Amino acid sequence: MRGTICADNREDYRAAARRINEDAVDAVWLQHEYGIFGGEAGEMVLDLVDRVAAPLIVTLHTVLAEPSARQRRILEHLLRRASRVMVMSAHSMQLLRDLYRVDAGRIAVIPHGAPDRPFGRVEEYKAKLGLSGRRVMMTFGLLGPGKGLETVIEALPAVVENHPDVVYRIVGATHPNLVASEGESYREGLVELADQLGVGGNIQWDNRFLDNEELLDQLEACDIYLTPYPNMQQSTSGTLSYAVALGKAVVSTPYVHARELLADGVGVLVEPRQADVIAAAVNRLLDDPTELRAVQRRAWEKGRETIWPCFAAASRALVESVVTQPPRAIPLLATPGFSGVVAMSDSTGMFQHSILTVPDRRHGYCIDDNVRALMLMGEADGVPLAERQRWATVYASFIQHGWNPDRQAFRNFMNFDRTWCEDVGSDDSNGRTLWALGHAMGNAPDEGLRAWAAQWFDIALEPVANMESPRTVAFMMLGCVEALRVNPGHGAARAALACGAALLDRLLAVSRRPDWAWFEAVLGYDNPRLPQALIEAGAMLGRQDWLESGLASLRFIARQQVSAQGHFRPVGSETFGQFYENLPFDQQPVEAWAAIDAAAAAYAATGDIGWLRHAETAYRWFLGGNDRGEVMVDMASGRCRDGVTPQGVNLNCGAESILAFQLAHYAMCRLANRTGTGQPVSGTSPVDARPERINYKGTQQLAGA
């Protein structure tokens, strides 16, 4: 046993998830039943499932047709997290499809498993229990009002009248919760009822919880097994499955599991709380030994469908359906096509979102994507120069039009009709725009655009440099680094770079703790950009202290983003706003691109080849080296899917994702050129790209990991 969860201790669920992730398991299989897990309606289980990265299978032992609002919310959350869902009845599957809109392809119906024993050994096992010559009825399970035992006891006088040798064996301890609240008063009430009806001598009580083998032996000794449950919504009953597989004639109320398993004459269904109906059904079987034997034979034959080998084979197939398979081989530096970028662009700029591969005009455009697109036009040497110049002009025009001179800031979001959605964009969008302008100063595909970028960089620098959001500062600093590479004498850029570096260094010093070498108490998006900016500033301005701070924080975030299996695991978007947390989903392409750029900066500053390996690990996320083994990109068009979710891939191909992949590719090409090998690291393979290859000295995992 790897660990134990105390039902009401939330931290136990989180610690279990950390252990599961550290153990690099192939899949997680959760058995869900209401009442097992802590919190209202068992909500604490969500603290576990939200933190595991491996594919999740959830077995739902109960699917309620009329759940409470809280129960429904929890189940819907579990269904969103699960790669596959297992239920044990077709009825439960239909409820999931009708009430929860779960696609049938995600649901597996695997009936409750049962033992495989020979048919027809009832007399042998009766003798072992001293029951030779008796007609034996039996019910097994934890005793409680929900079992319907009162109804069978009330039916017993009519059965005994016709068959005085009948014995009804009630096997099982009283439910511990019932014992805790009222002792054995429930069982004592049943005994009193039997005595009042004159059938006390025809009942045997075995007030124990039996181990599996003894239970099976006792089941073998009965002729008729009864499950008189009054709750018609019960979707599974393990003892019913066992009784059928052992070839017992079953008399049962028509709850969900019984209706399915006992159909076609496999057993006898009776209405709940109807003692006379139960008596008649039992008497008919005991009056006709031939029919009794025929029902038992049909039950045993039906049970061959659910014996443990069948259950195991179905379970294995279910697990194998979610386990990540090795991705198809794609040459590491294969050049992506450009048609996906063009398809997302028009004469205004680049569309923000798509539905699958088709631009979604409802969401218009944003400056964030157009500045990334402008950066790509400066890097994409695999695209003809004339085409890069054409599109760079479109994206530059969008940026230029986004400037609001009255507010001294760029707007961000634009509707499809070219009306702006706001007067001022977010600080981060302004910082990212300044970065792109600095980048274009040295990389835009023609001289005129480079001059244009220098002009707009000077216009925007001062107002953007006054913004203090950590990511805005990092983007601003990266823009200043690019500008200084073109014009080392740019005093304003040098001053802004130094000011930003000092701010980030202070934030890191204030927020840092032994297990958290970061600038804030939360992780967000584009995380590696913060250490990248400090590394670049330290290297350019000759500040070793900033360089060391940047490297330390990059080691921390790199460790957060490499799984125990060695593949890249971006900080999930569900992490945002959660203090000192790192949740695995949803994973976004922009994080992998940022990791590559930051690793490149660290390699340039230190020469540590481990950072090249980290860059490759991050890039392979696009090529299938991720938690779901899914290739995220289409090399022919250059498109990239929008992210990795618990259920697989988000199939939409928005601008941010396409551009992140394209820019990541060209960043990897620059690294390959820098090493002079044509590959980022000679001989590197996905297996070699493990987290321990990086020097993580001085960095610890999160508390409790």
Side-chain angles (χ1 to χ4, degrees):
M1 182 172 65
R2 185 67 176 87
T4 302
I5 294 175
C6 178
D8 294 316
N9 186 340
R10 192 176 299 275
E11 181 54 35
D12 275 7
Y13 294 89
R14 299 180 178 187
R18 287 194 289 270
R19 286 195 299 271
I20 289 168
N21 291 341
E22 290 162 6
D23 287 347
V25 301
D26 293 321
V28 176
W29 197 338
L30 175 73
Q31 305 296 317
H32 180 265
E33 179 63 278
Y34 293 103
I36 293 178
F37 303 106
E40 185 178 350
E43 66 181 356
M44 285 188 185
V45 72
L46 303 183
D47 285 280
L48 172 72
V49 302
D50 283 350
R51 288 165 175 79
V52 294
L56 176 68
I57 301 169
V58 177
T59 295
L60 299 173
H61 289 261
T62 300
V63 181
L64 298 175
E66 297 180 357
S68 68
R70 181 64 62 91
Q71 288 171 330
R72 185 182 185 104
R73 183 185 67 80
I74 291 169
L75 182 54
E76 288 175 341
H77 192 119
L78 287 171
L79 294 171
R80 286 194 299 271
R81 305 301 306 187
S83 297
R84 295 291 302 278
V85 182
M86 173 187 155
V87 291
M88 301 186 197
S89 69
H91 177 78
S92 293
M93 178 180 183
Q94 200 60 47
L95 284 177
L96 289 178
R97 296 187 65 183
D98 294 345
L99 296 184
Y100 298 94
R101 299 294 184 263
V102 180
D103 184 82
R106 292 180 54 216
I107 307 171
V109 180
I110 304 178
H112 195 294
D116 185 12
R117 286 191 171 193
F119 177 71
R121 302 190 297 177
V122 62
E123 296 303 327
E124 174 187 345
Y125 281 87
K126 282 183 181 180
K128 291 181 179 181
L129 294 178
L131 296 172
S132 297
R134 304 291 298 270
R135 314 285 187 96
V136 180
M137 301 159 52
M138 180 179 171
T139 297
F140 168 80
L142 294 173
L143 266 65
K147 296 293 186 181
L149 297 176
E150 299 91 341
T151 307
V152 181
I153 293 173
E154 291 168 354
L156 206 51
V159 175
V160 171
E161 181 179 356
N162 290 344
H163 303 280
D165 58 346
V166 157
V167 60
Y168 179 35
R169 305 195 70 248
I170 299 176
V171 180
T174 306
H175 197 291
N177 291 347
L178 197 61
V179 172
S181 62
E182 56 186 65
E184 290 286 0
S185 61
Y186 176 71
R187 179 185 296 272
E188 291 164 357
L190 294 178
V191 172
E192 183 178 350
L193 174 63
D195 289 341
Q196 290 174 354
L197 295 173
V199 293
N202 294 88
I203 298 178
Q204 288 185 1
W205 304 87
D206 193 341
N207 186 9
R208 295 181 298 136
F209 186 85
L210 276 57
D211 64 36
N212 195 60
E213 285 304 308
E214 186 177 4
L215 166 62
L216 296 178
D217 290 348
Q218 295 215 19
L219 275 171
E220 290 239 48
C222 80
D223 300 291
I224 298 174
Y225 189 79
L226 296 105
T227 58
Y229 308 153
N231 176 17
M232 295 299 96
Q233 297 305 311
Q234 182 160 338
S235 57
T236 57
S237 168
T239 59
L240 175 63
S241 297
Y242 281 22
V244 168
L246 291 179
K248 302 298 130 183
V250 177
V251 176
S252 175
T253 51
Y255 55 91
V256 170
H257 190 191
R259 287 200 303 272
E260 295 186 15
L261 190 57
L262 302 181
D264 302 321
V266 171
V268 179
L269 297 175
V270 297
E271 290 302 308
R273 299 187 177 90
Q274 301 289 323
D276 57 335
V277 177
I278 289 178
V282 171
N283 278 328
R284 278 195 300 272
L285 290 171
L286 295 180
D287 288 345
D288 187 347
T290 302
E291 176 61 15
L292 175 63
R293 183 79 170 179
V295 173
Q296 291 170 338
R297 169 63 72 172
R298 287 195 294 270
W300 186 83
E301 290 174 352
K302 177 69 174 179
R304 298 316 90 201
E305 300 173 9
T306 63
I307 56 176
W308 288 123
C310 296
F311 181 89
S315 298
R316 176 174 179 164
L318 176 59
V319 172
E320 289 176 345
S321 74
V322 305
V323 170
T324 298
Q325 301 299 317
R328 69 178 187 270
I330 297 176
L332 184 67
L333 296 182
T335 301
F338 190 63
S339 62
V341 177
V342 174
M344 285 291 289
S345 303
D346 67 2
S347 60
T348 300
M350 193 164 188
F351 289 104
Q352 216 183 153
H353 296 298
S354 72
I355 299 174
L356 298 179
T357 60
V358 178
D360 187 355
R361 295 179 176 183
R362 296 172 303 171
H363 297 285
Y365 318 83
C366 69
I367 206 166
D368 285 323
D369 293 328
N370 280 273
V371 300
R372 294 186 188 101
L374 178 62
M375 293 174 73
L376 178 62
M377 296 307 98
E379 300 285 351
D381 53 13
V383 178
L385 178 61
E387 190 163 9
R388 288 196 287 138
Q389 290 172 333
R390 171 198 172 195
W391 287 111
T393 302
V394 170
Y395 305 137
S397 179
F398 186 97
I399 296 167
Q400 180 172 274
H401 186 52
W403 179 254
N404 183 340
D406 295 332
R407 302 292 293 273
Q408 290 290 287
F410 291 98
R411 304 175 180 92
N412 191 8
F413 296 109
M414 175 188 277
N415 295 309
F416 179 64
D417 64 3
R418 293 188 175 183
T419 58
W420 289 103
C421 303
E422 59 200 355
D423 290 331
V424 176
S426 67
D427 285 3
D428 285 3
S429 68
N430 275 266
R432 191 177 287 108
T433 303
L434 189 74
W435 174 25
L437 291 169
H439 180 273
M441 288 172 63
N443 297 282
D446 66 51
E447 185 176 346
L449 280 171
R450 291 193 289 273
W452 168 89
Q455 176 182 326
W456 277 101
F457 180 88
D458 288 346
I459 292 171
L461 175 58
E462 182 178 352
V464 174
N466 288 327
M467 299 175 182
E468 296 185 347
S469 167
R471 277 167 187 74
T472 305
V473 171
F475 296 145
M476 178 273 295
M477 291 168 62
L478 293 174
C480 290
V481 168
E482 295 285 0
L484 288 167
R485 286 178 178 146
V486 176
N487 179 11
H490 198 304
R494 186 171 296 272
L497 178 61
C499 183
L503 174 61
L504 289 186
D505 195 45
R506 285 197 306 273
L507 289 175
L508 181 62
V510 169
S511 299
R512 189 170 187 168
R513 64 186 202 182
D515 58 353
W516 193 261
W518 199 240
F519 305 85
E520 307 169 284
V522 295
L523 299 175
Y525 74 99
D526 248 352
N527 294 287
R529 296 298 179 192
L530 281 74
Q532 178 190 353
L534 260 184
I535 292 168
E536 299 271 24
M540 177 160 282
L541 301 180
R543 287 290 299 266
Q544 188 67 22
D545 54 339
W546 292 344
L547 178 60
E548 290 299 331
S549 292
L551 290 169
S553 55
L554 183 58
R555 292 187 192 102
F556 169 79
I557 197 63
R559 186 163 194 162
Q560 298 296 312
Q561 298 196 121
V562 177
S563 73
Q565 297 96 323
H567 60 252
F568 191 68
R569 178 179 292 156
V571 169
S573 59
E574 292 177 355
T575 304
F576 302 172
Q578 306 263 9
F579 286 175
Y580 304 109
E581 282 280 12
N582 179 10
L583 305 184
F585 297 106
D586 291 349
Q587 301 173 12
Q588 298 174 331
V590 70
E591 198 73 12
W593 169 39
I596 294 165
D597 278 355
Y603 173 70
T606 66
D608 184 348
I609 200 170
W611 290 114
L612 296 183
R613 292 193 174 96
H614 184 63
E616 181 174 339
T617 299
Y619 188 66
R620 288 191 182 277
W621 181 88
F622 292 103
L623 306 183
N626 53 58
D627 278 316
R628 292 298 176 267
E630 296 279 2
V631 175
M632 301 295 295
V633 301
D634 172 51
M635 296 303 296
S637 67
R639 291 187 175 93
C640 178
R641 303 300 187 188
D642 275 352
V644 177
T645 76
Q647 296 176 21
V649 173
N650 181 336
L651 295 177
N652 296 328
C653 299
E656 180 182 288
S657 304
I658 294 172
L659 294 168
F661 166 57
Q662 295 267 349
L663 286 161
H665 164 75
Y666 289 105
M668 292 296 291
C669 290
R670 288 196 306 274
L671 279 177
N673 292 334
R674 188 176 297 170
T675 63
T677 64
Q679 294 286 328
V681 181
S682 179
T684 297
S685 71
V687 175
D688 292 325
R690 294 190 178 101
E692 60 266 25
R693 297 277 181 158
I694 302 170
N695 177 13
Y696 288 119
K697 184 178 179 182
T699 304
Q700 300 177 16
Q701 291 181 297
L702 299 183

